Amino acid sequence: MHTMHAQAAALAGMLAAATGSEPRSEETDRGIRVEADLPDQLSPTTRTAILTALAKADRYGHARTDSSDTVWAELFNRGAEQ
């Protein structure tokens, strides 16, 4: 059985391999949030790898600013759910 931390590490590794950037992780009261900056150009292979990684999360999304694009994924702490 995988723990939330092991799942977050695997997710971060998948995003690092897909994006070429170092993902950032933050533990919250709900679980773990992983964020990764996207490269300027996404090939179809890269896009598929990113979507495959995000599909492992409980919740995910995309944030765009004038200077960057970032994907984020959250893994929930099942022990904290009520």
Side-chain angles (χ1 to χ4, degrees):
M1 180 177 204
H2 294 281
T3 67
M4 178 182 62
H5 290 92
Q7 290 172 329
L11 176 60
M14 292 172 72
L15 287 173
T19 65
S21 69
E22 187 62 34
R24 300 168 297 282
S25 296
E26 176 185 5
E27 195 156 350
T28 68
D29 57 342
R30 291 184 63 182
I32 298 176
R33 181 181 176 103
V34 180
E35 296 181 354
D37 296 324
L38 296 177
D40 291 334
Q41 298 296 318
L42 293 177
S43 70
T45 301
T46 300
R47 187 180 318 270
T48 298
I50 291 167
L51 292 173
T52 299
L54 294 177
K56 306 287 183 194
D58 294 310
R59 191 170 87 128
Y60 59 87
H62 175 242
R64 174 176 279 176
T65 67
D66 289 339
S67 61
S68 68
D69 281 310
T70 303
V71 291
W72 57 266
E74 293 178 344
L75 298 165
F76 298 140
N77 181 357
R78 301 290 180 215
E81 288 183 3
Q82 298 190 13

